[in-house]
Amino acid sequence: QLAGLARTTVQPLILIHFSTAMDVTCFGFGVMVVAEIQRFTVVVTGPLQPPLAAMYATGDHRGLQRAYLRGNRYALWAILLIAPPLMIYSHEFVKLYIGEKYLLAAGVIVCMMAVQPLHYSNIMFPYLAAAAARLKEVALRQIAVQSSTLLVALYLVAQLKLGAMGSACAILITGTVSAPLIWWPLGRRISGVSVSEWLRETIRPGVLPAFAGIAVWLPLEQIVSPSSWVALGGCLLAGVVSYLTVLLGFCLRPQEREDLNRIWQTIRTVPRRWLPYDSG
C-alpha cells in the first residue's frame, strides 16, 4: 500500500517540479479514471480472502488453483470490457467529459489502461499470497517495481521533458516488464498452476471476447467519430453486444453455463411470486 501510495503522490510531485500545471491536471485525471476502476475491483474481490485462506488451511490446493484460474478469467472479462473502448474512444471521452483543452489526458488514459489487463490476468495472486502467508515476497517486489517506476518517470519527465505522458509511460513500461518477469511467475508458483493451464483456462477464454469488441469499436470510431454522449454510448453498446455474444457463446465453461442457467431460472420465477395466490 505504501508503494502504491508513493506512485500516486510522488508522480504528481515530479510533474509539479519539472513540468506544467496542465501536465499535472491531465495526469491526475487519467489516474483518477484507473483509480475508480481499481477501487471497485477491491470492493468486489475483497470478500474472496476468507474462503481462500480456508482452502489453504484445509489443504484444498486444487480448490485454490480453480479459484485462481477462474477469478483471473472473470477479471479479464471485466477489464477487457472497459479498457479497449476507453483507449479507442479516449479522445472523445475527454472532450465530452472535461473539454478539448485537456486532450493530453487521453494519452495518459491509453497508457494507464493498456497495462491493466496484464494486472487483471493475475489479480487473484495477492489474495493467494496472503492466504499462504507469503506477503513478504510480494511486498519486496512491489517496492522494487514502484521504485523503478519513479526512477523511470523522473528520467522521462526531468530529462526528456515528456510531462504527463512521461509519467504515464513510466507506469506502462514498468508494468509491461514486471508482469511477465515478476508477477505472473510468482502467481503461478504460489498457486501451483502450470503455464499451459493458465494460458488455457485464463488467457485464451479471457482475451477472446475482446477481439470481437475491438472489431466493432475500432471501425465505429473511424466511421461515426462520436461527438455526443448519445453517439458515444451507441458505439460502445454495439461493441458490448459483440463482446458478450462471443463471451456467452464460446468462452464459458460448463459449470459457468450451469450457474447462469440457474440464475436465469431464478429470475424467471420472481414475477410468479408477485402474483396473487389463486386457489383454483
Side-chain angles (χ1 to χ4, degrees):
Q1 288 177 347
L2 288 174
L5 183 63
R7 183 184 68 181
T8 56
T9 56
V10 178
Q11 289 262 33
L13 290 177
I14 293 174
L15 289 172
I16 289 172
H17 283 85
F18 298 103
S19 192
T20 66
M22 179 61 71
D23 287 295
V24 176
T25 302
C26 292
F27 179 77
F29 180 77
V31 169
M32 180 194 70
V33 173
V34 176
E36 290 301 318
I37 296 173
Q38 293 176 339
R39 189 174 295 113
F40 178 76
T41 301
V42 170
V43 172
V44 173
T45 57
L48 298 174
Q49 185 67 76
L52 290 175
M55 289 180 191
Y56 184 82
T58 57
D60 186 5
H61 299 299
R62 186 54 192 164
L64 282 173
Q65 292 174 349
R66 287 195 297 267
Y68 174 76
L69 294 169
R70 196 172 185 178
N72 291 341
R73 184 167 67 247
Y74 290 173
L76 265 181
W77 284 339
I79 194 63
L80 288 176
L81 186 60
I82 299 171
L86 259 180
M87 295 167 65
I88 293 170
Y89 295 96
S90 58
H91 282 78
E92 289 81 0
F93 175 71
V94 170
K95 285 181 182 179
L96 292 171
Y97 195 81
I98 56 175
E100 193 169 354
K101 178 182 177 182
Y102 301 96
L103 270 183
L104 179 61
V108 176
I109 291 175
V110 170
C111 290
M112 298 291 289
M113 294 308 301
V115 77
Q116 296 308 307
L118 303 178
H119 166 65
Y120 279 71
S121 63
N122 194 38
I123 198 170
M124 295 295 293
F125 134 75
Y127 299 104
L128 263 65
R134 297 178 64 174
L135 285 177
K136 182 178 180 180
E137 299 176 59
V138 180
L140 292 176
R141 287 167 174 79
Q142 184 75 318
I143 291 171
V145 170
Q146 298 299 349
S147 299
S148 301
T149 301
L150 294 177
L151 290 175
V152 174
L154 188 61
Y155 173 74
L156 294 178
V157 176
Q159 295 295 321
L160 300 186
K161 306 297 182 184
L162 295 181
M165 284 303 299
S167 290
C169 286
I171 295 172
L172 176 61
I173 291 169
T174 55
T176 303
V177 172
S178 63
L181 296 183
I182 298 176
W183 302 125
W184 293 349
L186 185 59
R188 292 194 301 268
R189 187 159 64 247
I190 293 177
S191 64
V193 170
S194 65
V195 176
S196 60
E197 191 174 13
W198 178 67
L199 292 173
R200 185 177 63 254
E201 295 296 325
T202 291
I203 300 302
R204 186 172 64 187
V207 170
L208 185 59
F211 290 106
I214 292 171
V216 175
W217 287 318
L218 268 178
L220 285 180
E221 195 275 335
Q222 297 295 322
I223 297 171
V224 178
S225 297
S227 57
S228 68
W229 286 112
V230 173
L232 179 59
C235 293
L236 295 178
L237 182 60
V240 168
V241 170
S242 176
Y243 184 101
L244 294 179
T245 300
V246 173
L247 192 159
L248 297 175
F250 303 99
C251 300
L252 294 180
R253 297 297 182 257
Q255 180 61 48
E256 292 160 350
R257 294 188 184 279
E258 291 178 11
D259 293 341
L260 279 179
N261 184 59
R262 188 159 46 248
I263 293 171
W264 173 243
Q265 294 301 327
T266 303
I267 293 173
R268 288 181 61 187
T269 60
V270 169
R272 299 177 187 174
R273 298 172 188 171
W274 294 343
L275 295 175
Y277 176 71
D278 184 359
S279 58

